[in-house]
Amino acid sequence: MAVEGRTGRVTRRRVHTRANLLDAAFSVFAAKGFGHVSIEEVCEAAGYSRGAFYSNFSSLDELFFALYRERADLIAEQVSGALALDGPDLDVPAAVDRVTDVLLLDRDWLLVKTDFLVHAARDPEVARSLLEHRARLRRAIADRLGRARGHTALPAVLGDTDGAARAVVAAYDGVTTQLLLDRDVEHARAWLKQLLTALLTDGSGTLAHAKN
């Protein structure tokens, strides 16, 4: 029993340490950029030693990937949840509002995400990981749009639900690129809402009638 209790405490402490290192790394990466950060800087920001770092991550690359996966998975879950609130009928304008609020997180996340994209562009293995996470997000969107078929019609130009999901992700990519430059979150939120409404409805916010 004593060993089990001690193991439980060690496990919880390690989980807590790992979470603190990820949070600290997020702040440091956003402020300085992935390629300009050292392990020592992450440890200093988190208040831990190098030993604590290496008990959780083998390298700065591994920590960076873990950080990206954590945030990307959270976004996929949030988008899926936002799209699931209407039941079988999909209220596209209301869903666009919810998804817009979820997708436009903060500029620090966009900076870290962009660093990861640039890093992945130069490393095929990392690129595969990034493509996998982007595909997961598209599947979450396409699945929800697919379940609404028969209740809500999508513009024919998008082809199928996968095409619609790709359009949603592409709109997000374009809007967030502008946000990185002009830092205008409110404008970016309004712009994304307009783009998604135009993509997923007749352009006016009015749902098309589903064909039986």
Side-chain angles (χ1 to χ4, degrees):
M1 287 293 288
V3 172
E4 290 179 2
R6 187 164 59 250
T7 301
R9 287 194 297 273
V10 169
T11 300
R12 285 193 296 272
R13 185 166 64 245
R14 183 169 183 177
V15 168
H16 182 67
T17 299
R18 180 183 175 89
N20 285 343
L21 284 166
L22 287 170
D23 286 344
F26 178 80
S27 298
V28 177
F29 288 148
K32 301 188 67 174
F34 172 65
H36 303 283
V37 172
S38 67
I39 290 175
E40 289 75 13
E41 287 173 302
V42 173
C43 291
E44 182 179 353
Y48 292 122
S49 65
R50 286 175 63 92
F53 179 94
Y54 284 114
S55 69
N56 288 276
F57 304 101
S58 63
S59 66
L60 207 56
D61 274 6
E62 183 183 340
L63 182 150
F64 191 49
F65 301 155
L67 177 63
Y68 182 85
R69 284 195 298 269
E70 178 184 82
R71 302 294 171 119
D73 287 347
L74 175 62
I75 290 173
E77 291 170 9
Q78 289 175 328
V79 169
S80 182
L83 290 173
L85 294 178
D86 295 318
D89 253 338
L90 182 61
D91 183 344
V92 172
V96 164
D97 284 342
R98 293 194 299 269
V99 169
T100 299
D101 288 340
V102 169
L103 283 177
L104 285 176
L105 300 176
D106 55 45
R107 190 168 179 275
D108 284 350
W109 160 244
L110 298 177
L111 287 167
V112 173
K113 174 177 172 284
T114 301
D115 270 351
F116 193 84
L117 177 62
V118 172
H119 187 51
R122 294 189 173 96
D123 188 321
E125 185 175 346
V126 180
R128 282 192 293 273
S129 176
L130 178 59
L131 288 170
E132 177 184 328
H133 284 281
R134 287 173 65 85
R136 188 178 307 169
L137 176 59
R138 289 199 308 270
R139 285 195 299 270
I141 297 170
D143 177 67
R144 180 61 188 97
L145 294 175
R147 285 186 281 118
R149 275 284 174 90
H151 301 272
T152 303
L154 294 172
V157 70
L158 295 177
D160 55 13
T161 54
D162 183 64
R166 288 179 181 275
V168 169
V169 174
Y172 171 63
D173 286 342
V175 169
T176 53
T177 298
Q178 182 68 26
L179 174 58
L180 281 172
L181 299 175
D182 65 21
R183 303 175 182 237
D184 189 341
V185 176
E186 292 307 313
H187 177 262
R189 182 179 291 113
W191 185 24
L192 182 60
K193 180 178 178 180
Q194 290 170 356
L195 285 174
L196 295 184
T197 299
L199 283 168
L200 300 179
T201 70
D202 63 1
S204 66
T206 302
L207 298 180
H209 293 292
K211 296 180 180 179
N212 293 325

